[in-house]
Amino acid sequence: MKAVRFFGHKDVRVVNDMEKPVPTGDEVLLKIGAAGVCHSDLHIIDEGTVQGAVFTLGHENAGWVEETGPSVKGFKKGDAVLVYGPWGCGHCKPCQHSAENYCDHQSELPFGGGLGLNGGMADYMLVPSSRLLVPIYDLDPIVAAPLTDAALTPYSAIKRSLHKLMPDEFVVVIGIGGLGHVAVQILRETTGAAIIACDVTQDRLDFAKELGAAYGVNSRDPDAAEQIKKITGIKKAKVVLDFVGATATIELGAKTVSLDGDLTIVGLGGGNFSYNMMGLPFGVSMTNPYWGSRTELMEVVGLARQQKIHINIEKYHLDQALEVYDKLRKGQIKGRAVLIP
């Protein structure tokens, strides 16, 4: 079968000689419908964040059950499903709460399919346990695949701050890319807070307004923080969601978050923040959430089935994987690219 394989630092190849896996035990073999292309892949490919492993890329995966191991219950051939991305031990307390993204044994395990173990940029994918599957019912797998990260990650980040996102508050979204453009939609549908979108190009700011943002600010402007404070007034933004994570965007968030607010850094931009007592307003929670829980992914599927969120998708064939990664490096993907076998 065909697959997009990672062989080491900056070494990715499309191969045609992979054997089709055979499931055993509680394993499930999926016929892949689509696999999302994520910036996290570039951290693996270009920065070597996963070392010493050769594997198939792709951690945003959807498809149909092709074959099940003899221990699998509740799934049958032809069922349309998503693959929950972070694979934990399945037994510790966080995993029992479906939060495998915070598995107690995370430091001892590969992160999941496409992140150290074989992922879904292939004709077929072997999922190690049926517990990692989430039904998508009538959703098209091509549309659904990016929900597993591009929607789940912002949804989980927003959910922890929902109690602060009242109609008289402001929320800042920095970075209107693959995750940020979904965050704007989730905020629009689940909160009453006014959304201030920040990005470096006017077309992305316009895109954010089409999706529900009330305001747009170019985050590269030297006075971006002052522009945001003119909108919010003295109270500033109750929640700031940074989907970039560079030093400049973290500093922008620190300048614009309110007393007792949440500064949530989701992006993996490698930024730094030098803490001092007066560097943040009192009461601010500064967090770096990772992905989301399996039950939250079920909730995301519900939002998508109700057509309350929609991921802007660009479709490519598996053979175009290297071209897509180049486009991603150059910022030429608007929304999310998916690879289709």
Side-chain angles (χ1 to χ4, degrees), residues 6 8-12 38-52 244 267-271 329:
F6 172 75
H9 185 224
K10 296 187 177 181
D11 186 1
V12 175
C38 177
H39 268 282
S40 297
D41 298 343
L42 296 183
H43 291 289
I44 294 171
I45 297 165
D46 298 340
E47 300 172 21
T49 55
V50 177
Q51 298 183 2
V244 180
L268 302 175
R329 290 183 185 96

Side-chain angles (χ1 to χ4, degrees), residues 83-149:
V83 182
Y84 176 64
W87 297 352
C89 70
H91 304 290
C92 68
K93 187 174 180 179
C95 286
Q96 290 295 304
H97 283 282
S98 93
E100 300 198 29
N101 48 321
Y102 299 126
C103 173
D104 286 341
H105 300 277
Q106 187 184 84
S107 62
E108 304 169 332
L109 301 170
F111 288 126
L115 299 167
L117 299 172
N118 286 334
M121 290 185 182
D123 294 318
Y124 296 92
M125 177 183 181
L126 186 67
V127 180
S129 173
S130 61
R131 78 173 190 278
L132 300 170
L133 301 180
V134 172
I136 58 174
Y137 308 102
D138 53 349
L139 286 180
D140 182 346
I142 294 174
V143 172
L147 295 175
T148 58
D149 186 358

Side-chain angles (χ1 to χ4, degrees), residues 147-316:
L147 295 175
T148 58
D149 186 358
L152 173 59
T153 296
Y155 179 80
S156 184
I158 290 166
K159 191 175 177 182
R160 62 174 56 201
S161 296
L162 276 178
H163 63 291
K164 296 185 178 182
L165 292 168
M166 297 296 106
D168 59 338
E169 302 291 357
F170 294 88
V171 54
V172 173
V173 179
I174 304 175
I176 311 301
L179 275 66
H181 89 284
V182 187
V184 170
Q185 298 174 68
I186 295 169
L187 288 164
R188 179 195 69 206
E189 295 294 337
T190 63
T191 82
I195 305 166
I196 304 171
C198 296
D199 209 300
V200 298
T201 63
Q202 189 60 45
D203 66 319
R204 293 210 175 189
L205 295 177
D206 292 340
F207 183 40
K209 288 184 177 180
E210 291 173 11
L211 297 174
Y215 307 92
V217 173
N218 190 312
S219 50
R220 277 191 182 154
D221 285 352
D223 66 341
E226 292 305 314
Q227 291 182 47
I228 292 170
K229 285 187 277 188
K230 283 182 180 178
I231 296 168
T232 63
I234 194 170
K235 66 190 293 182
K236 300 195 281 189
K238 185 58 70 175
V239 177
V240 176
L241 297 157
D242 182 355
F243 291 99
V244 180
T247 298
T249 58
I250 296 171
E251 291 175 349
L252 178 60
K255 291 175 182 175
T256 55
V257 68
S258 74
L259 287 160
D260 195 34
D262 290 350
L263 174 51
T264 304
I265 303 164
V266 181
L268 302 175
N272 295 291
F273 179 76
S274 180
Y275 175 80
N276 65 75
M277 196 65 180
M278 303 306 294
L280 285 172
F282 291 117
V284 166
S285 295
M286 190 175 188
T287 59
N288 61 332
Y290 174 66
W291 227 323
S293 71
R294 193 170 66 253
T295 50
E296 286 173 333
L297 181 55
M298 295 175 183
E299 293 164 10
V300 165
V301 169
L303 282 173
R305 293 187 71 206
Q306 294 179 53
Q307 299 183 354
K308 291 184 175 180
I309 58 172
H310 172 76
I311 298 178
N312 196 60
I313 288 176
E314 296 182 18
K315 302 176 186 178
Y316 298 89

Side-chain angles (χ1 to χ4, degrees), residues 318-330:
L318 275 181
D319 289 327
Q320 297 176 280
L322 301 183
E323 172 192 340
V324 174
Y325 281 130
D326 282 340
K327 286 188 173 184
L328 196 60
R329 290 183 185 96
K330 296 173 183 175

Side-chain angles (χ1 to χ4, degrees), residues 325-341:
Y325 281 130
D326 282 340
K327 286 188 173 184
L328 196 60
R329 290 183 185 96
K330 296 173 183 175
Q332 296 176 346
I333 301 294
K334 184 179 179 180
R336 208 57 153 187
V338 298
L339 299 181
I340 301 171

